Amino acid sequence: MPPFKDEHILIISPGSQTTLAQLGLPESFTPAKLRVPTRMFPAERKGEWEPYKIREIRRKKEKTNVEATEQEDGSTAKKGDVEMVDVDEADGAKSLTNGESRVEDDDEPLYEEDPNSDEGAVYPLKEGRVTNWPAFLALLSHVHNALSSPFHTPIHTPILLIAQPAWTSHDHELLTQFFFEKFKTPALCIMDSAMAVCYAYGIGTATVIDVGYGKVDITAVSDFVTHEVGRGVAISGYGGEAMTQKLLSLLGPKGWTRDMCEQLKKSNICELFPQGTPFPGEPQGDSQMITNPAAAASTGATESGPGAPRVTISDVDMRDDDPIIKDGEDNDGVLDVASIVASGKTAEFLARKEREKAERAAAKKAATDTANTIVKPVRLPNSKKERNTFWYEERRQSQEDSDAMNENGKRAAEQNGGTSGADPKRQKTPEREAEASAPSEARGGAADGVAVTEETETSRREKDKAARKEEKRRNRQLLLAESRDVLRKEIEVGVERFMAASGDSLEGEGILEGIADGVHRTVLAVEEVGKRGELWDSLIMVGNGTKIRGFKDALVSVLNSKYLISPSSATIFTSELPSNLSTPLATGANTPQPQLPGMSHSSNVNPLLLAATTASNPVLNPAASIISQQHQQHNLHSSHGQTPTSIKLAKIPEYFPEWKDVGFEEASFLGAQVAAKVVFVVDQGISKGFMTRVEYNEVGPSGIHECSL
């Protein structure tokens, strides 16, 4: 089939709150150009949907304007338009004299779109699952129509759709039928969101943690193959909304609303600390809770990981073991000269005393200099401040304010029209001026032509400058209009801003602990034990829920403290020893032999002779079969993948400059761009990465399962 062009590829990535879309692949991949809320509004007709809230505004319209004037004979004459009315209404019309106006009861209905309103909205996606199919299909139609150009037909638009992990096979078939029947697309590819993230990072084996609005998806990908067994799909209660509700539970009694907590969560003062870090103003206790029992049993530490405290030889105070100190000083600190002379280390003892004296003098001088120095105020970071402030924006919806802004805008437009003089459409453009001056240039010669050209360029620059000033003025008016609708307040908050993911005091498990438990279960469910270590070393965290400051470091800290065991720990080596080995005798004559069930050590059969006779038929030797079974079972659990020796984050790609500024939280869309380039342009269907319309006509919607990535 003919190859597709980059500018014709359509990518759609639906989310619970925001849907991303883009038509065409640029040379350097950029973030999504279209971002629409994942919501629809019921229309007036049943079964139809609108992308925005439609408001009806009724304005009273004057039907009759009658003015009465007196003539010379005393009669009255009517000026203006006269409306034909019935007899009953004529009596009412006669009473309207002296310039009065009669207003009809019928109002003229006007409709307007309110893009900021959320009243009556229907969100078809909840926790990644489609809960309202008519609204969801209407949303996809709205996105497709918003990006479709009137100069190209949908026949040449292949579509790549990012699928949520919670979608079932039946959902994929419904979407396949919808796109082929509704938009007549020539090719369709449905790609898993976790696989798209791996394409963005360029990693074939990784553990993808997608923190969304109301759920968390945890997927283990091995060699670009997703493991469906044990996959954490739509784990509710651990998304961004859970953090907002946590802040609301802490600050709600103080008069905070949900919108205030949501803006606090998105601000730069909301931060998450690694496990064990005290809050500002909170003293750090000496006693620590044991979070990793294995590390505590092996090394004596309360936790494990890079930040765990470790006891080394250098930490032990060796002053009491020094023979000079032992012999030279008694318990009361009195010098024992005889002991010093007898030890033969008099010079060393005197040198140490001089060194201690110099250190005390230097410390005293430093303390004096510090006291005399003027202490300058130091700007503390947010993590060291007990209280901090942020700006809260509250939107005001007032009809009077909107009417006033409309009047001001009309008045400004009238003033601008009056001062400009002539109609701008009738003004001559620089090109027309050049054409009009062309005959004069021909008559005036080369000198006159140069002068006219300079005047034309000068006038063009002046008009361009005036146009830029006019555009800046309009932008200022728009910003002023928006600022009138938004009320900004500065709100102060305490250490509650650090508790967005913390657990309750009674339960003790927070959002980070729940996500860490899901990651551990997902990695343990991978059948290939050798891949578990690589999965632990390639953690990828995406989703807008990870935008909170310090989220990734805090989650890695929780994983280290709960599941990481150091390679030097003795528990690893002792646990790797099989439990069926007998203890050798003290004489050393015996070697460890496997104790098989149903067999005794005092066997009269020569084991070498038995092995030689049963080599051709191993079934005749039950002991060998039992040993091989136990050896296989032991090898299934001999790797350190269950208890990782290291936990690391995957390296962020460095060859997408447009994504560095906005972050890689929406890396699934970047991976979709990479996959669309490979599948539709480079591969062109050789690897069956997408489903064509010919295949759809032959096998139907069920054929999408053989073509999806």
Side-chain angles (χ1 to χ4, degrees), residues 275-277 284-292 294-313 315 557 560-561 564 566 568:
Q275 192 173 21
T277 304
Q284 186 175 5
D286 297 335
S287 61
Q288 299 181 2
M289 182 179 61
I290 297 176
T291 57
N292 196 328
S298 59
T299 62
T302 57
E303 58 182 4
S304 60
R310 302 184 184 278
V311 180
T312 59
I313 299 177
D315 297 334
S557 174
N560 284 328
S561 63
L564 183 67
S566 174
S568 61

Side-chain angles (χ1 to χ4, degrees), residues 507-579:
E507 297 179 0
E509 180 177 347
I511 296 176
L512 297 178
E513 287 76 11
I515 297 176
D517 181 68
V519 173
H520 184 250
R521 293 176 182 271
T522 302
V523 175
L524 284 184
V526 177
E527 297 179 357
E528 301 179 17
V529 182
K531 292 289 185 179
R532 294 178 184 176
E534 190 174 354
L535 292 173
W536 281 112
D537 290 338
S538 302
L539 297 181
I540 302 178
M541 302 183 191
V542 295
N544 291 326
T546 61
K547 286 186 176 181
I548 298 181
R549 195 174 181 181
F551 180 89
K552 297 180 181 179
D553 295 337
L555 182 55
V556 172
S557 174
V558 173
L559 289 171
N560 284 328
S561 63
K562 294 187 67 175
Y563 305 110
L564 183 67
I565 292 183
S566 174
S568 61
S569 175
T571 56
I572 291 182
F573 301 104
T574 56
S575 61
E576 297 302 324
L577 294 177
S579 59

Side-chain angles (χ1 to χ4, degrees), residues 23 111 130 148 161 175 238 245 289 315 374 380-382 386 393 428 431 443 467 530 546 551 556 599 663:
L23 178 62
Y111 300 94
V130 182
S148 296
L161 180 66
L175 291 171
Y238 297 103
Q245 294 298 328
M289 182 179 61
D315 297 334
I374 300 176
L380 297 176
N382 176 60
E386 189 172 356
E393 296 182 355
K428 290 185 178 181
E431 291 79 3
R443 293 189 301 266
T546 61
F551 180 89
V556 172
M599 294 182 61

Side-chain angles (χ1 to χ4, degrees), residues 355-371:
R355 186 171 59 254
E356 291 179 357
K357 184 178 180 180
E359 291 177 357
R360 287 195 298 267
K364 185 177 180 180
K365 183 179 179 181
T368 305
D369 295 342
T370 305

Side-chain angles (χ1 to χ4, degrees), residues 431-445 449 452:
E431 291 79 3
R432 293 182 179 178
E433 290 182 357
E435 293 176 0
S437 61
S440 62
E441 291 179 4
R443 293 189 301 266
V452 172

